Amino acid sequence: FPPFYEEYVVLNDSTMRLRTYADSTFRAVTDSTQFELRGGRMVAQPARGNPLIATRVAGDSVLFGSRGEALYLRMSADLWRAIFEPQSPGGGRPYFELRRMR
């Protein structure tokens, strides 16, 4: 994957907003998703498309989708790895790493 730029903002105790930007200047928003806790479940509602429901939330991981379509693993305080289905033609699962910018 080429580099991409996102911002995560905690809005309150049950809502977090994700914005995707065109480049590292963080000026032009290209997409957004809102994460909300609803009735004890985490729901990701993208600006476009269908919501994803977290089927498992643990201290260092979140699994979205009934078939494990997206797994987010905390690797450290400043690094998460996102792993996706379906498998790539070579058999591996595509993934990317999310690094905190300071």
Side-chain angles (χ1 to χ4, degrees):
F1 292 102
F4 59 92
Y5 301 90
E6 295 179 329
E7 171 189 55
Y8 294 79
V9 177
V10 176
L11 301 175
N12 57 48
D13 64 350
S14 64
T15 309
M16 181 174 69
R17 181 183 60 223
L18 157 67
R19 287 185 176 157
T20 304
Y21 291 87
D23 57 37
S24 63
T25 65
F26 288 85
R27 290 188 186 132
V29 175
T30 60
D31 202 1
S32 66
T33 299
Q34 189 148 303
F35 296 86
E36 298 176 346
L37 287 174
R38 296 182 191 163
R41 299 184 87 183
M42 182 186 292
V43 177
Q45 179 60 62
R48 299 179 291 268
N50 296 322
L52 281 175
I53 297 174
T55 55
R56 187 184 78 215
V57 178
D60 290 334
S61 66
V62 179
L63 179 67
F64 284 97
S66 60
R67 298 183 315 272
E69 289 88 351
L71 174 63
Y72 288 77
L73 298 169
R74 183 192 331 242
M75 308 304 287
S76 72
D78 295 324
L79 176 67
W80 283 76
R81 179 171 288 168
I83 306 169
F84 297 96
E85 284 291 343
Q87 291 187 354
S88 63
R93 294 176 70 182
Y95 74 91
F96 60 85
E97 293 183 341
L98 303 161
R99 296 180 190 277
R100 182 186 315 257
M101 292 178 61
R102 296 190 188 262

